[in-house]
């Protein structure tokens, strides 16, 4: 009987000691619920190389609920089109600014996050959301799954005017433009009714480069930047002529203030920036937009 008790105590001690030694092993403390996103693929590494390391920018293409707008029914962006868009943003936007902007300009002021969404988002009034921005830190681009890299006008309209527009908001919110700009069309801004205000009328003839520019002065200002640099010299002059005798002088007065602001405050010549973008756009068909090779 004593021998049986002894053996039983020995077995219990071995079990307890074994349990203690397992607790001491750090590998046993790993939760069965892992929050890790897994190993980085080649595209993830490429994004770090062209966005994160030089500019501290995150480029999100994998679906993340926390970063998505739950007010819309949305789908993730495809892997293939996300690669194309990443290369487009680098080529048409960042590299163009690098050609003309002071050293450190993009690193300091450019938005720090891009979010890709595969589908379009529609407002209750039927208008499409081309992109959104949050506090100058994050830009969300929609409709990535319908990306057409052969159509530069569509690229400007659907994606890049949004990027240039939102980046320009960051600039004027950091260092504001002259109040002289606000006075030019102060009596003509239509606020939230901009989408309905121009039915059967021309916002160009009223001195606005787009319908949305008529919302208020800040939107007017950044729309001028976004449209000026995404139009060739010839297409810009055509718009001015379409504005007619009433709108052209107003637009000319506004763009003069915008150019002066960009030059004096940010040391960026708007004509040089437009030239950089348009030269790159003309060579877009020569670019390998599927490339994710780290140089």
């Amino acid at each position: 009987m004593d021998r049986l008790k002894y053996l039983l105590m020995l077995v219990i001690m071995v079990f307890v000691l074994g349990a203690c030694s397992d607790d001491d092993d750090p590998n046993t403390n790993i939760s069965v619920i892992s929050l890790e996103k897994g190993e980085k693929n080649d595209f993830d590494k490429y994004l770090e190389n062209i966005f994160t390391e030089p500019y501290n920018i995150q480029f999100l293409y994998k679906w993340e609920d926390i970063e998505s707008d739950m007010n819309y029914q949305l789908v993730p962006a495809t892997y293939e089109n996300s690669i194309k868009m990443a290369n487009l943003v680098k080529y048409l936007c960042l590299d163009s600014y690098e050609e003309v902007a002071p050293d450190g300009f993009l690193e300091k002021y450019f938005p720090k996050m891009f979010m890709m969404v595969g589908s379009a988002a529609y407002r209750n009034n039927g208008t499409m959301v081309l992109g959104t921005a949050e506090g100058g830190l994050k830009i969300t681009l929609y409709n990535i799954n319908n990306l057409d890299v052969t159509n530069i006008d569509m690229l400007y309209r659907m994606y890049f005017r949004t990027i240039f527009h939102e980046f320009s908001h960051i600039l004027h919110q950091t260092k504001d433009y002259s109040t002289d700009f606000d006075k030019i069309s102060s009596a003509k801004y239509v606020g939230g009714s901009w989408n309905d205000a121009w039915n059967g009328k021309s916002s160009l003839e009223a001195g606005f480069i787009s319908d949305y520019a008529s919302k208020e002065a800040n939107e007017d200002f950044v729309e001028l930047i976004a449209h000026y640099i995404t139009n060739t010299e010839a297409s810009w002059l055509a718009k001015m002529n379409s504005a007619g005798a009433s709108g052209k002088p107003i637009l000319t007065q506004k763009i003069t203030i915008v150019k002066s602001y960009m030059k004096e405050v940010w040391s960026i010549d708007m004509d040089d920036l437009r030239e950089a973008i348009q030269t790159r756009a003309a060579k877009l068909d020569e670019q390998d937009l599927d490339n994710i090779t780290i140089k």
Side-chain angles (χ1 to χ4, degrees):
M1 189 70 177
D2 290 342
R3 181 172 178 172
L4 183 60
K5 287 182 179 180
Y6 175 79
L7 290 173
L8 183 58
M9 289 177 64
L10 190 61
V11 169
I12 293 172
M13 289 178 65
V14 169
F15 177 81
V16 171
L17 288 173
C20 290
S21 64
D22 283 345
D23 286 343
D24 292 338
D25 184 351
N27 290 327
T28 64
N29 292 326
I30 298 176
S31 171
V32 294
I33 302 175
S34 176
L35 299 180
E36 294 296 323
K37 295 183 179 179
E39 294 185 6
K40 295 175 183 175
N41 59 38
D42 289 342
F43 184 34
D44 295 326
K45 296 173 185 176
Y46 181 69
L47 292 173
E48 285 190 351
N49 182 257
I50 67 171
F51 288 118
T52 309
E53 292 174 6
Y55 301 111
N56 194 29
I57 295 171
Q58 279 187 286
F59 190 96
L60 305 178
Y61 67 97
K62 298 174 183 177
W63 189 258
E64 297 188 26
D65 286 344
I66 194 172
E67 297 294 347
S68 304
D69 192 331
M70 298 301 180
N71 293 313
Y72 304 104
Q73 292 184 337
L74 305 171
V75 301
T78 64
Y79 180 79
E80 293 78 13
N81 281 7
S82 295
I83 291 174
K84 288 181 173 65
M85 182 52 75
N87 281 315
L88 282 167
V89 171
K90 177 68 165 61
Y91 175 72
L92 277 178
C93 182
L94 298 182
D95 288 351
S96 295
Y97 272 106
E98 285 286 19
E99 286 188 33
V100 302
D103 291 343
F105 175 75
L106 291 175
E107 293 91 320
K108 187 171 184 179
Y109 298 108
F110 202 76
K112 297 308 176 188
M113 181 183 292
F114 276 91
M115 175 72 182
M116 302 296 106
V117 176
S119 54
Y122 292 92
R123 302 181 183 93
N124 291 333
N125 62 9
T127 60
M128 180 187 293
V129 179
L130 299 181
T132 58
E134 298 176 18
L137 297 176
K138 171 187 170 186
I139 292 178
T140 301
L141 297 177
Y142 297 90
N143 213 26
I144 298 298
N145 293 351
N146 290 318
L147 179 67
D148 180 359
V149 300
T150 66
N151 187 337
I152 187 62
D153 290 332
M154 187 274 280
L155 291 176
Y156 287 151
R157 184 176 68 256
M158 296 295 297
Y159 311 108
F160 284 91
R161 283 195 186 122
T162 296
I163 296 172
F164 294 134
H165 175 114
E166 299 303 343
F167 184 28
S168 299
H169 271 313
I170 294 174
L171 298 183
H172 80 74
Q173 288 165 2
T174 302
K175 298 180 182 179
D176 208 359
Y177 53 84
S178 169
T179 55
D180 291 341
F181 182 91
D182 301 28
K183 301 171 185 176
I184 298 172
S185 294
S186 59
K188 295 182 179 180
Y189 291 118
V190 297
S193 62
W194 64 269
N195 187 54
D196 302 315
W198 304 104
N199 291 335
K201 296 183 289 184
S202 169
S203 56
L204 269 176
E205 292 178 1
F208 299 109
I209 198 60
S210 69
D211 290 356
Y212 190 61
S214 68
K215 183 178 181 181
E216 50 96 11
N218 286 336
E219 302 301 344
D220 193 6
F221 191 85
V222 300
E223 276 287 273
L224 279 162
I225 295 175
H227 280 261
Y228 188 82
I229 61 180
T230 55
N231 274 276
T232 63
E233 183 177 2
S235 62
W236 180 262
L237 290 175
K239 284 182 179 293
M240 295 301 99
N241 290 333
S242 296
S246 58
K248 185 176 179 179
I250 298 172
L251 286 165
T252 300
Q253 187 180 3
K254 288 178 180 178
I255 199 64
T256 299
I257 293 176
V258 170
K259 284 185 175 183
S260 177
Y261 165 82
M262 291 296 291
K263 185 67 174 178
E264 293 175 7
V265 176
W266 300 109
S267 301
I268 293 176
D269 187 304
M270 286 265 289
D271 291 309
D272 290 345
L273 179 57
R274 177 172 69 179
E275 179 65 22
I277 293 168
Q278 297 304 320
T279 299
R280 290 177 173 278
K283 299 178 180 178
L284 189 57
D285 60 350
E286 302 173 13
Q287 306 307 308
D288 181 4
L289 298 176
D290 298 312
N291 173 61
I292 54 172
T293 301
I294 298 174
K295 297 179 181 179

